[in-house]
Amino acid sequence: MTTAEDRRPVVAGLLLAAGGGRRLGGRPKALLEHRGRPLVEHAVGVLRAAGCEVVHVVIGASAGVVRERAELAGCVVVENPGWAEGMGSSLRVGLASLEADGRGVDAALVLLVDQPGIGAEAVARVRAAYGSRDSLVAASYDGQRGHPVLFGAGHWAGIAAGAVGDRGARDYLAAHRDAITPVDCSDVAEPYDIDTEADLAHLE
């Protein structure tokens, strides 16, 4: 009989892709085109290439169109009706979805849809730093904390409680900074965001 102690831990990818692209003229970020496909589809591919067999995707703005246009087969796709409140609400929805996943998820590896400069190599590095359900891991770039981040399941309740507005897990991570394992990804990724019209130049 396999017990929780000797089974292979499940590190699930959690993609936050609900934003409405307010500074992009209201174009949902999930639907921006990158390498010929919607950005949400590209990001799912990154999580899978990094070794995440379980992937949950939180969508919000134009959710119906995202489901139509993006190939998300095999993912758990969950809609956040409160997406306009900011990233915090999407993080709460995503963690609740992982909590309900019958596969027994041990950690959430959180990636943002609007950071296509972060590829599979950086995500795999952060994933490899998982140690237990109490793990907190974050990519770092020139000494600054960034994404992706990994939250062991033991932290989910505390993170969800503080995830409001656009702050996501920022306050929780600041309060637990001594527990965070930093993983330098400066040599393999660029953590820019696609937030403005000028940023669209990063898309291929």
Side-chain angles (χ1 to χ4, degrees), residues 9 11 50 107 109 121-139 148-152 179-185:
V11 177
L109 183 49
E121 192 168 352
V123 177
R125 280 188 190 178
V126 173
R127 183 176 181 273
Y130 170 85
S132 74
R133 290 169 68 92
D134 290 323
S135 291
L136 279 178
V137 185
V149 289
L150 183 149
F151 305 139
I180 299 171
T181 299
V183 176
D184 184 40
C185 295

Side-chain angles (χ1 to χ4, degrees), residues 6 8 29 35 40 43 45 58 63 84 97 115-116 121 128 141 158 168 177 183:
D6 60 20
R8 190 162 61 96
K29 292 183 177 183
R35 299 179 182 171
V40 64
V58 181
S97 181
Q115 294 192 317
E121 192 168 352
Y141 302 90
R177 64 167 57 87
V183 176

Side-chain angles (χ1 to χ4, degrees), residues 164-176:
V164 294
D166 270 324
R167 297 192 67 78
R170 192 181 310 165
D171 291 346
Y172 188 90
L173 291 175
H176 296 80

